Short mmCIF file of all heavy atoms in Angstrom, two decimals:
data_model
loop_
_atom_site.label_atom_id
_atom_site.label_comp_id
_atom_site.label_asym_id
_atom_site.label_seq_id
_atom_site.Cartn_x
_atom_site.Cartn_y
_atom_site.Cartn_z
N ALA A 114 -16.54 30.69 -5.73
CA ALA A 114 -16.61 32.08 -6.13
C ALA A 114 -15.61 32.26 -7.27
O ALA A 114 -14.51 31.71 -7.22
CB ALA A 114 -16.25 32.99 -4.98
N ALA A 115 -16.00 32.98 -8.29
CA ALA A 115 -15.10 33.12 -9.46
C ALA A 115 -15.21 34.52 -10.02
O ALA A 115 -16.24 35.23 -9.91
CB ALA A 115 -15.46 32.09 -10.53
N GLY A 116 -14.11 34.92 -10.69
CA GLY A 116 -14.13 36.20 -11.41
C GLY A 116 -14.67 35.94 -12.83
O GLY A 116 -14.26 34.98 -13.47
N TYR A 193 -4.55 38.01 -7.26
CA TYR A 193 -5.46 38.03 -8.36
C TYR A 193 -4.68 38.20 -9.66
O TYR A 193 -3.49 38.49 -9.63
CB TYR A 193 -6.48 39.19 -8.18
CG TYR A 193 -7.51 38.93 -7.07
CD1 TYR A 193 -7.54 39.74 -5.95
CD2 TYR A 193 -8.43 37.89 -7.17
CE1 TYR A 193 -8.46 39.50 -4.93
CE2 TYR A 193 -9.36 37.64 -6.17
CZ TYR A 193 -9.37 38.44 -5.05
OH TYR A 193 -10.28 38.20 -4.05
N GLU A 194 -5.37 38.04 -10.77
CA GLU A 194 -4.71 38.05 -12.05
C GLU A 194 -4.43 39.49 -12.47
O GLU A 194 -5.00 40.43 -11.98
CB GLU A 194 -5.59 37.36 -13.10
CG GLU A 194 -6.03 35.97 -12.72
CD GLU A 194 -7.03 35.91 -11.58
OE1 GLU A 194 -7.92 36.80 -11.48
OE2 GLU A 194 -6.89 34.99 -10.71
N VAL A 210 -12.68 32.57 -13.70
CA VAL A 210 -11.37 32.19 -13.13
C VAL A 210 -11.46 32.15 -11.63
O VAL A 210 -12.18 32.96 -10.99
CB VAL A 210 -10.31 33.18 -13.64
CG1 VAL A 210 -10.52 34.58 -13.12
CG2 VAL A 210 -8.90 32.74 -13.28
N GLY A 211 -10.77 31.20 -11.02
CA GLY A 211 -10.79 31.10 -9.56
C GLY A 211 -9.58 30.30 -9.04
O GLY A 211 -8.69 29.93 -9.80
N MET A 212 -9.63 30.03 -7.73
CA MET A 212 -8.47 29.41 -7.12
C MET A 212 -8.77 28.05 -6.46
O MET A 212 -8.12 27.66 -5.51
CB MET A 212 -7.88 30.36 -6.04
CG MET A 212 -7.56 31.75 -6.55
SD MET A 212 -7.06 32.85 -5.22
CE MET A 212 -7.09 34.43 -6.09
N THR A 235 -18.50 36.51 -8.66
CA THR A 235 -18.56 37.55 -7.60
C THR A 235 -18.04 38.90 -8.05
O THR A 235 -18.29 39.90 -7.40
CB THR A 235 -17.72 37.09 -6.39
OG1 THR A 235 -16.44 36.70 -6.85
CG2 THR A 235 -18.38 35.93 -5.67
N ASN A 236 -17.36 38.91 -9.17
CA ASN A 236 -16.72 40.17 -9.66
C ASN A 236 -16.36 39.97 -11.11
O ASN A 236 -16.20 38.85 -11.60
CB ASN A 236 -15.47 40.46 -8.82
CG ASN A 236 -14.46 39.32 -8.89
OD1 ASN A 236 -14.63 38.28 -8.23
ND2 ASN A 236 -13.42 39.47 -9.68
N LEU A 237 -16.16 41.09 -11.77
CA LEU A 237 -15.58 41.04 -13.12
C LEU A 237 -14.08 40.87 -12.92
O LEU A 237 -13.48 41.47 -12.02
CB LEU A 237 -15.89 42.32 -13.90
CG LEU A 237 -17.37 42.51 -14.25
CD1 LEU A 237 -17.59 43.84 -14.97
CD2 LEU A 237 -17.91 41.34 -15.06
N ALA A 238 -13.47 40.06 -13.75
CA ALA A 238 -12.01 39.81 -13.59
C ALA A 238 -11.20 41.06 -13.84
O ALA A 238 -11.71 42.08 -14.37
CB ALA A 238 -11.61 38.68 -14.54
N LEU A 246 -9.47 44.74 -7.57
CA LEU A 246 -10.13 43.59 -6.96
C LEU A 246 -9.77 43.51 -5.47
O LEU A 246 -8.66 43.81 -5.09
CB LEU A 246 -9.65 42.31 -7.63
CG LEU A 246 -9.90 42.15 -9.14
CD1 LEU A 246 -9.71 40.71 -9.54
CD2 LEU A 246 -11.29 42.60 -9.50
N VAL A 251 -15.56 40.24 -3.20
CA VAL A 251 -15.88 38.85 -3.54
C VAL A 251 -16.85 38.28 -2.48
O VAL A 251 -17.88 37.72 -2.79
CB VAL A 251 -14.59 37.99 -3.59
CG1 VAL A 251 -14.92 36.51 -3.65
CG2 VAL A 251 -13.76 38.37 -4.81
N1 HPA B 1 -9.84 35.79 -9.65
C1 HPA B 1 -9.48 34.66 -9.03
N2 HPA B 1 -10.23 34.12 -8.10
C2 HPA B 1 -11.37 34.68 -7.78
C3 HPA B 1 -11.83 35.86 -8.39
C4 HPA B 1 -10.99 36.43 -9.38
O1 HPA B 1 -11.32 37.49 -9.97
N3 HPA B 1 -13.02 36.18 -7.83
C5 HPA B 1 -13.29 35.19 -6.91
N4 HPA B 1 -12.30 34.29 -6.89
#
Side-chain angles (χ1 to χ4, degrees):
Y193 287 116
E194 306 70 38
V210 65
M212 306 175 191
T235 51
N236 58 284
L237 294 178
L246 301 195
V251 167

